[in-house]
Amino acid sequence: MSTFVVVGGDAAGMSAASKAKRDDPDLDVVVFEKGEWVSYGACGLPYYVKGEIQSLDDLVSVTPEEFREERDVDLRTGHEVVDVDPESRVVTAQSDDGELRQEYDHLLVATGAEAVTPSIEGMDREGVYTLGSMSDGRDLREYVGRARSDEDLQQPDRGPACQFLETCNGPVGIVGGGYIGVEMAEAIAANGFEVHLFQRGDRILKEFSEATSEAVLDHLRDEDVAVYLGEEVEGLAGRDRVEAVVTGDGRVPVEMVLVGTGVRPRTDLAEDAGIELGETGAIATDAYRETNVPDVYAAGDCAEAEHVVTGEPAHVPLALTANRHGRAVGKTVAGEPTEGGRVAGTAAVKAFEMEAARTGVLDHERAREAGFEPMTETIDAKSRAGYYPEGGTVRVTLTVDRPSGRVLGGSLASEYGEGAVHRSHALVGAVTEGVAVDELSNYDLAYAPPFNTTWDPVLTAAKVVDGKR
Amino acid sequence: MSTFVVVGGDAAGMSAASKAKRDDPDLDVVVFEKGEWVSYGACGLPYYVKGEIQSLDDLVSVTPEEFREERDVDLRTGHEVVDVDPESRVVTAQSDDGELRQEYDHLLVATGAEAVTPSIEGMDREGVYTLGSMSDGRDLREYVGRARSDEDLQQPDRGPACQFLETCNGPVGIVGGGYIGVEMAEAIAANGFEVHLFQRGDRILKEFSEATSEAVLDHLRDEDVAVYLGEEVEGLAGRDRVEAVVTGDGRVPVEMVLVGTGVRPRTDLAEDAGIELGETGAIATDAYRETNVPDVYAAGDCAEAEHVVTGEPAHVPLALTANRHGRAVGKTVAGEPTEGGRVAGTAAVKAFEMEAARTGVLDHERAREAGFEPMTETIDAKSRAGYYPEGGTVRVTLTVDRPSGRVLGGSLASEYGEGAVHRSHALVGAVTEGVAVDELSNYDLAYAPPFNTTWDPVLTAAKVVDGKR
C-alpha cells in the first residue's frame, strides 16, 4: 500500500487529498496542517469582517471531521512539518505531542503563501493587522464589529485610540491598494469607520488596466475613502498602540491599521529539502506540478504555473488555481497523470458598488518580453440596452498584439451587478485559446435588452481595437 | 460614382448603409424601407408593452433624420421595393408618389423576417395580436396599458370581452412558448392580466436544453402563468372579438390573444429576382453574404449563415447577426472584403425573475447529423460562494462530443441577476473555437465570493461532463 503525504491543509492540499483518496481508496492519505483550520475560504474573510457572514465556520467548505470520517483522510491538524528528507522519503512533523516521522511515496508541498509584512517602523504596534489567516479575520472582526456598537461607544476603557478621537469609530488606515486593501476598505467603511488608503504606486489595483484602476479609484473616493497615491508609508506611529500613519507628506491620525501589501510563497521547507524555486520565487514545477525532486509535487499559492500568454512560469496565488492543481495532483497520485491546466492571471474584485476583473497580460513591458507588440484600448459602453430601465456602464480594456491581433489581456469594470466579472469569462477563453481580436469581435454572444446592447461591450471593445490596429 | 442600394431599413440594412457610407464617402447609398420606422430595436418591444419603456421612439437607435443628415444616407421610408432586375441592375420601388426605378452597382437584400401566422381558425378576430413590428407593439401597449388603468376598468364600453368577464383585466392567451411567448407572458402579467400560455410541443423554449426549459417552466408556473404543454390550439373562438382559445382539451376563456409562433424569412422579392434560397428556406450566401447573383448580398433575418459547430448553413434570425453581417457587407461594398463571422445560434431570454441563455448545438439528432456522438449533462450549482449573503442557483447544461470532448452546445438558467446570460459568453467561445471540455474545465476563470464559487458553475459542469465521458 502506497502513502500520499500532503503538507498544508487548505485549498490545494485538501483538494489533492480528497481526490487521491476518492480515485484510489487503497491509498493512505495523510495531511499535516499546522493550524486548526482546513479547507477554508480565505477569500471570504473581507465579508466576514464586514459583518455579512456571521461565523468563521461558514467559510469552511469541508470540516476536519468530514475529511476524517467521510473522506477517510488522515488529517492531522496542529502538526507543523519541519523537515522533508527526499532521500529516505520521510517528513518530520511537530505537534504538542512531540515529533513524528512519516514515510511517503508521494508528497505534495502545499504550504501556501503568507502576508508580506513590509519593513516599516511600527509594524509591531497594537492595532496593526494583516489579513492572512482565519485568526487574523477573527481579530479584525472583533475590532471592527466591537467599535461599531453604540454600547461600546460609551465605554471609556476601549483603549488609547478612543481617547484622542472624537468617536470610537475613528479613522482607519489601510496600507496597500491591491485586492485586500480595496475589499477591506469596503468591509471597514461599512462598519462606520473613516478609511484612509495608502498606495505606494501611482494607482490602485495595479494588476488591472489603468482605466479599470481609475474607475475603481473614482468610486472609492465617491464612497468617501481617502486614497493617497504615490505615498510611501514610512512608519506607524504611537506609544503602544498605533495612533498615526506617517508618510513623506505628513501624519494621518488613525486608531487602527490594516496592512495588505501582498503575499509571498512559503518555501522555506521546500528549499531546505532541496526543492528548486523558479524565477518568481515560488516553487518550480512541470505541467504535472512535479518539482525537481521525483514524486514531490507542489501546488497552490507556494508554486509556479505556466502562463497561457507568455508560456513562462508565473506565480498567481489565487484560489481556483490552488483547487485545480491540487485536484490534478490527487488524480496523478491516484494513477491518472493529470496536468491541471495553465494560469491566465485572472482575478475579480468587488469594491463597494463596483465590480472588476482582469485576465492575461496587460503590462506592455511584460508583453514585449514575451515577444509581442502590445497595444491597448479602452471603451465605455452601456451594460444593457439604452432604453432598458436598469443598467450602467461597462468599461472594457483590451491589450492585443498589434501584428497578429491576438488578445493578450483584458480588464473590465462596471457597477456591481452589471456584469464586468462574468463578462471576463469570454476574455479568459480568448486569451487562453490565442484568439485574434477580429475573430473575437465576430463572436455570436448572447443578446437581449435586459443583459446587454446588441453588441455586447466585449464585442464593441474588440471591434474598436481591431479598427485601430 | 458607384451606387449601393439597400432593401430594408432595420438592423442589417442600416448597419450596412452606415458602414459603407462611412468607409467610402464617395459611394451613393440609397435605402428603401416600406414602413416608417428604421433601425429599431424590435427586441425591446416586450419591455415597451410591459410599460417599462415609455415611448416607441426610445427603441430607435438612429432616427431617419440622423441617417439622412448626419450619415448622408439617402433613406426613403414608405418605399416598398417590388422588383429587382439583376440583369439591368435596377430595383423598382413603390410609394404614395408612384413608382420609382433605381439603378445599383451593389445591392443588399435585408428584408428581414415576419411573424408566422399559424393556420388556425379565428386568427383574424379582433383581439388577436402578433408582435412583429413597431405598430404591433403600439397596438399591444395600447391594449395592455389601457386595460390596466382603474379609470378604464369603470368604462362599460371597452368592448365585448369585458362584458362576460369579472374584470377587464381578464385572462389573456399566448400561443407559442418561444422567446416571444415567454417575454410577453411577463410583459402582460405585469399589467395585471391572468396569462394562459399554450405550447404545442412538450416543452417551452425548445431551442434551449430540456433542463433549462424545465427551470423556466417551473418559474412561469410559480408566477401564476397557466402553461399548457402538448396542446395544439385548434381555434380562436368568439363572435367578432376573440373570446376563447380552443384546444383539443377544451376552451379557455380569454379577452385577448397574442400569437408568437416564430418567424420566417421574407424572401419573395429575392426569389422573384432569381436569388437562391438554402435548405433552411432563407437566402443562401457565401461567407461574405453574397448570393448566387453577383454583387447582390443578403444579410439579417432573411439570410442564412454558417454555423460554427455544424459548418452548415443555419437560419438564426437574431439582432446581433443582422448587425454584424450588415456591417460586414457595408465594409465589403466600400472596398474591404469582410466576412462578418459565423453564427452559434446563441440566444438569451429574461422570464420574470429568471434569465436563460443557449448556444451551439444541443439537439442530439442535429449533432449526429453533423458527425458527432453527443452526450448531455446538467448540473445545478450555487451562483456565488455558499457563505455569501446573496446568491441563487445556476443550472448549466453542456452537450459534448463523447470521443473528442468537443463542446457542441450549452444552455444556462439562473435567477435574474445571477449571471446565466453573461456566463454563456464563455461557452460561446468554447463552441466557436472547438474547445474540448477537459480544457474548458481548466480555464482560469475569474473568482471572488460575490460572483461565483471557486469553480464557476461553467467549470463544474465541464468537470462533471468530462468525468462521465
Short mmCIF file of all heavy atoms in Angstrom, two decimals, chain B residues 80 97 106 118 142 152 164 167 170 190 261 271 277 317 358 364 418 439:
data_model
loop_
_atom_site.label_atom_id
_atom_site.label_comp_id
_atom_site.label_asym_id
_atom_site.label_seq_id
_atom_site.Cartn_x
_atom_site.Cartn_y
_atom_site.Cartn_z
N GLU B 80 -41.71 50.66 -50.87
CA GLU B 80 -41.62 49.21 -50.91
C GLU B 80 -40.99 48.78 -52.23
O GLU B 80 -41.51 49.11 -53.31
CB GLU B 80 -43.00 48.58 -50.77
CG GLU B 80 -42.92 47.06 -50.77
CD GLU B 80 -44.23 46.38 -50.42
OE1 GLU B 80 -45.25 47.09 -50.32
OE2 GLU B 80 -44.22 45.16 -50.26
N ASP B 97 -46.13 58.23 -53.87
CA ASP B 97 -45.88 59.12 -55.01
C ASP B 97 -45.78 58.36 -56.32
O ASP B 97 -45.46 58.94 -57.36
CB ASP B 97 -44.57 59.89 -54.79
CG ASP B 97 -44.67 60.79 -53.57
OD1 ASP B 97 -45.80 61.16 -53.22
OD2 ASP B 97 -43.63 61.08 -52.97
N HIS B 106 -24.16 47.76 -56.28
CA HIS B 106 -24.22 46.71 -55.27
C HIS B 106 -25.60 46.77 -54.64
O HIS B 106 -26.14 47.86 -54.41
CB HIS B 106 -23.19 46.95 -54.16
CG HIS B 106 -21.83 47.25 -54.67
ND1 HIS B 106 -20.93 46.28 -55.05
CD2 HIS B 106 -21.20 48.43 -54.88
CE1 HIS B 106 -19.82 46.85 -55.45
NE2 HIS B 106 -19.95 48.16 -55.36
N PRO B 118 -50.06 31.12 -37.77
CA PRO B 118 -50.44 29.73 -37.96
C PRO B 118 -51.85 29.64 -38.56
O PRO B 118 -52.67 30.53 -38.37
CB PRO B 118 -50.41 29.15 -36.54
CG PRO B 118 -50.56 30.32 -35.64
CD PRO B 118 -49.99 31.51 -36.35
N GLU B 142 -51.18 49.69 -26.20
CA GLU B 142 -52.42 50.43 -26.04
C GLU B 142 -53.44 49.55 -25.32
O GLU B 142 -54.10 49.98 -24.38
CB GLU B 142 -52.96 50.80 -27.42
CG GLU B 142 -53.42 52.23 -27.51
CD GLU B 142 -53.60 52.63 -28.97
OE1 GLU B 142 -54.64 52.27 -29.54
OE2 GLU B 142 -52.67 53.26 -29.53
N ASP B 152 -60.19 53.04 -16.55
CA ASP B 152 -60.69 52.28 -17.68
C ASP B 152 -61.57 51.12 -17.23
O ASP B 152 -62.50 50.73 -17.93
CB ASP B 152 -59.50 51.74 -18.47
CG ASP B 152 -59.95 51.26 -19.82
OD1 ASP B 152 -60.26 52.13 -20.66
OD2 ASP B 152 -60.02 50.04 -20.02
N PHE B 164 -68.36 39.76 -20.42
CA PHE B 164 -68.61 38.45 -19.82
C PHE B 164 -67.52 38.04 -18.83
O PHE B 164 -67.52 36.95 -18.31
CB PHE B 164 -68.76 37.37 -20.91
CG PHE B 164 -67.53 37.09 -21.70
CD1 PHE B 164 -66.66 36.08 -21.28
CD2 PHE B 164 -67.21 37.82 -22.84
CE1 PHE B 164 -65.51 35.83 -22.00
CE2 PHE B 164 -66.06 37.55 -23.55
CZ PHE B 164 -65.22 36.56 -23.14
N THR B 167 -63.58 40.92 -14.51
CA THR B 167 -62.81 42.15 -14.54
C THR B 167 -62.27 42.35 -15.93
O THR B 167 -62.09 41.40 -16.67
CB THR B 167 -61.64 42.11 -13.53
OG1 THR B 167 -60.64 43.02 -13.98
CG2 THR B 167 -61.03 40.72 -13.45
N GLY B 170 -58.89 40.65 -17.73
CA GLY B 170 -59.29 39.25 -17.80
C GLY B 170 -58.17 38.39 -18.31
O GLY B 170 -57.05 38.87 -18.54
N ALA B 190 -47.45 41.52 -15.95
CA ALA B 190 -47.06 42.69 -15.16
C ALA B 190 -48.14 43.77 -15.19
O ALA B 190 -48.16 44.66 -14.35
CB ALA B 190 -45.74 43.25 -15.67
N THR B 261 -45.55 32.40 -32.70
CA THR B 261 -45.16 31.04 -33.08
C THR B 261 -44.00 31.06 -34.06
O THR B 261 -43.92 30.25 -34.97
CB THR B 261 -46.36 30.29 -33.70
OG1 THR B 261 -46.92 31.11 -34.72
CG2 THR B 261 -47.41 29.99 -32.65
N GLU B 271 -36.59 35.70 -54.30
CA GLU B 271 -36.92 34.56 -55.16
C GLU B 271 -37.34 35.03 -56.55
O GLU B 271 -36.92 34.46 -57.56
CB GLU B 271 -38.05 33.75 -54.52
CG GLU B 271 -37.58 32.92 -53.34
CD GLU B 271 -38.74 32.11 -52.76
OE1 GLU B 271 -38.96 30.98 -53.22
OE2 GLU B 271 -39.42 32.64 -51.86
N LEU B 277 -32.47 30.32 -52.54
CA LEU B 277 -32.63 30.07 -51.11
C LEU B 277 -31.84 28.82 -50.73
O LEU B 277 -31.55 27.97 -51.58
CB LEU B 277 -34.11 29.85 -50.76
CG LEU B 277 -35.10 30.92 -51.21
CD1 LEU B 277 -36.48 30.64 -50.60
CD2 LEU B 277 -34.63 32.31 -50.82
N PRO B 317 -32.45 34.02 -37.01
CA PRO B 317 -32.84 35.42 -37.20
C PRO B 317 -32.78 36.21 -35.91
O PRO B 317 -33.79 36.40 -35.25
CB PRO B 317 -34.28 35.29 -37.72
CG PRO B 317 -34.79 34.02 -37.14
CD PRO B 317 -33.60 33.11 -36.95
N ARG B 358 -28.58 30.19 -24.35
CA ARG B 358 -28.19 28.94 -25.01
C ARG B 358 -27.26 29.27 -26.17
O ARG B 358 -27.30 30.36 -26.73
CB ARG B 358 -29.41 28.16 -25.49
CG ARG B 358 -30.31 28.84 -26.48
CD ARG B 358 -29.97 28.61 -27.93
NE ARG B 358 -30.03 27.20 -28.27
CZ ARG B 358 -29.18 26.60 -29.08
NH1 ARG B 358 -28.22 27.30 -29.68
NH2 ARG B 358 -29.29 25.31 -29.35
N HIS B 364 -29.54 16.35 -30.04
CA HIS B 364 -28.69 15.20 -30.36
C HIS B 364 -28.79 14.77 -31.82
O HIS B 364 -27.80 14.38 -32.42
CB HIS B 364 -29.01 14.05 -29.42
CG HIS B 364 -28.38 14.21 -28.07
ND1 HIS B 364 -28.09 13.17 -27.23
CD2 HIS B 364 -27.96 15.33 -27.42
CE1 HIS B 364 -27.54 13.62 -26.12
NE2 HIS B 364 -27.47 14.93 -26.20
N GLU B 418 -28.26 36.58 -11.55
CA GLU B 418 -27.26 35.61 -11.07
C GLU B 418 -26.36 35.10 -12.19
O GLU B 418 -25.59 34.15 -11.99
CB GLU B 418 -27.93 34.46 -10.32
CG GLU B 418 -28.62 34.91 -9.02
CD GLU B 418 -27.67 35.62 -8.05
OE1 GLU B 418 -26.53 35.17 -7.89
OE2 GLU B 418 -28.07 36.67 -7.50
N GLU B 439 -10.32 20.77 -21.48
CA GLU B 439 -9.60 22.05 -21.49
C GLU B 439 -10.46 23.15 -20.86
O GLU B 439 -9.98 23.95 -20.07
CB GLU B 439 -9.18 22.44 -22.91
CG GLU B 439 -8.57 23.83 -22.88
CD GLU B 439 -7.68 24.19 -24.04
OE1 GLU B 439 -7.69 23.49 -25.06
OE2 GLU B 439 -6.96 25.21 -23.89
#
